[in-house]
Amino acid sequence: MAWLGFVTWITIYWCVFLAVTTGRIGWGLLCGWLIPIFAMAVSFEAGMQVNGLMFLICLLMFFACRKGLSEIRGWNIKQRKRHPVLFWSLFFFGFLMMFYSVAQAQIQGYFLNIQGWGSENMPMLRLAVTLVPLLFLNHAYTSQIYTGIDRLRLKQRELILLESRCFIAHETGAEKIARQGYYLEGINNGITYHFQLTKRTFHMLKKEKTLKLQIQTGLFGGIYITELDNPEFFKRVRRMDRKAAKRGMALFLLAAAFGIWLFWFY
């Protein structure tokens, strides 16, 4: 159990580090599927029951959501086809999995049982306090799984963008507001293409006026940038990569030391 907790803790650190370095909050949200496993490992004592189903659910949902985030340097999901029945079916299924995992973690004693599971009178207000944030969080997870399904079948093609520009703004288009992201827009055959970028990709492409991109079109029409082959692009972020590597290694050592203390000496 100590090794399970340690690996989970390091994975949580990895997700948070990616969220900071890429500028994608979705990586940080992935920790939500790891927290029940981490709580189980921390709280486990001799005689406690291990909920294997909860563990499998959290692990499988973590990898399903990760599929919608990994190996993507830029993405355009605004123009892909909408399949509301599929999306809301995934939303309902994901919510059931999340609700079961959280409830079981509380019933088994891994979390504080603030809902009062097992008591005769469970306050509905306390239940609502749990359900509301889970609904919002599950919407983000459903979007990630939906993107993962979109990427199950990809068609690769070349896209040349003229008059391209990179900018920082909110997803609504406002350039002076909180929760800003990194964006790229350019024109091809009279059509304006918009991409949301990771922080690293933004710094790679921000000086370019004409871009030749290898893109992949998904099953539902989502467009994804997964490859950037120009060596000049990587030179522009070399200094940033070195800083991130140094900070990441230092923080990793601290996280690893804390994990060793928590699971083997605490």
Side-chain angles (χ1 to χ4, degrees):
M1 190 60 68
W3 276 107
L4 175 62
F6 181 76
V7 171
T8 304
W9 170 247
I10 294 301
T11 307
I12 290 174
Y13 161 78
W14 171 73
C15 290
V16 173
F17 179 73
L18 283 178
V20 174
T21 54
T22 64
R24 300 191 69 180
I25 193 175
W27 284 110
L29 294 179
L30 276 185
C31 296
W33 289 113
L34 298 175
I35 289 176
I37 301 176
F38 179 74
M40 179 180 69
V42 170
S43 305
F44 184 80
E45 296 178 358
M48 290 185 66
Q49 183 178 357
V50 175
N51 193 312
L53 181 58
M54 183 205 73
F55 171 78
L56 288 176
I57 287 174
C58 290
L59 191 64
L60 291 176
M61 294 300 289
F62 171 82
F63 283 108
C65 293
R66 181 183 176 275
K67 176 64 177 178
L69 296 170
S70 61
E71 299 177 356
I72 298 178
R73 296 187 170 100
W75 61 98
N76 180 344
I77 60 175
K78 296 294 184 181
Q79 298 177 356
R80 68 186 178 189
K81 297 178 182 178
R82 299 181 182 275
H83 298 275
V85 174
L86 174 61
F87 183 88
W88 292 110
S89 297
L90 291 172
F91 180 88
F92 180 72
F93 176 78
F95 180 75
L96 287 180
M97 296 299 99
M98 186 185 303
F99 184 77
Y100 174 83
S101 299
V102 172
Q104 286 298 312
Q106 292 177 322
I107 292 172
Q108 300 297 335
Y110 309 146
F111 285 163
L112 180 64
N113 190 2
I114 60 175
Q115 275 70 42
W117 298 106
S119 61
E120 296 182 358
N121 297 317
M122 186 174 66
M124 296 305 296
L125 179 60
R126 291 184 182 180
L127 182 61
V129 168
T130 301
L131 291 181
V132 172
L134 289 185
L135 287 171
F136 283 100
L137 188 60
N138 185 56
H139 189 275
Y141 291 146
T142 305
S143 297
Q144 294 170 1
I145 295 174
Y146 193 79
T147 299
I149 295 175
D150 187 27
R151 297 180 63 207
L152 288 177
R153 190 177 68 185
L154 297 168
K155 295 181 179 179
Q156 188 163 334
R157 64 186 177 94
E158 186 177 84
L159 177 67
I160 299 177
L161 295 179
L162 305 176
E163 299 181 15
S164 63
R165 74 181 185 101
C166 293
F167 58 96
I168 301 175
H170 189 264
E171 61 182 4
T172 59
E175 297 193 14
K176 293 184 179 180
I177 194 172
R179 292 183 59 191
Q180 294 183 334
Y182 303 90
Y183 294 89
L184 163 70
E185 69 175 14
I187 300 173
N188 178 277
N189 292 331
I191 301 174
T192 301
Y193 288 83
H194 297 271
F195 290 94
Q196 192 168 354
L197 306 175
T198 63
K199 181 179 179 180
R200 185 169 182 265
T201 308
F202 170 81
H203 288 287
M204 282 184 173
L205 306 179
K206 64 181 180 180
K207 295 182 180 180
E208 296 296 315
K209 299 301 180 184
T210 301
L211 278 170
K212 181 187 293 186
L213 298 173
Q214 297 297 323
I215 63 171
Q216 294 179 333
T217 304
L219 189 64
F220 305 142
I223 305 174
Y224 307 97
I225 303 172
T226 56
E227 296 181 7
L228 292 170
D229 298 328
N230 192 333
E232 186 65 28
F233 295 162
F234 295 95
K235 292 180 181 179
R236 296 172 184 173
V237 294
R238 186 175 298 168
R239 185 177 179 183
M240 187 173 69
D241 287 346
R242 288 173 179 171
K243 286 184 178 180
K246 290 178 181 178
R247 293 172 182 172
M249 182 56 66
L251 292 173
F252 171 78
L253 292 176
L254 290 175
F258 176 78
I260 292 172
W261 171 80
L262 180 64
F263 291 104
W264 279 281
F265 297 100
Y266 179 67

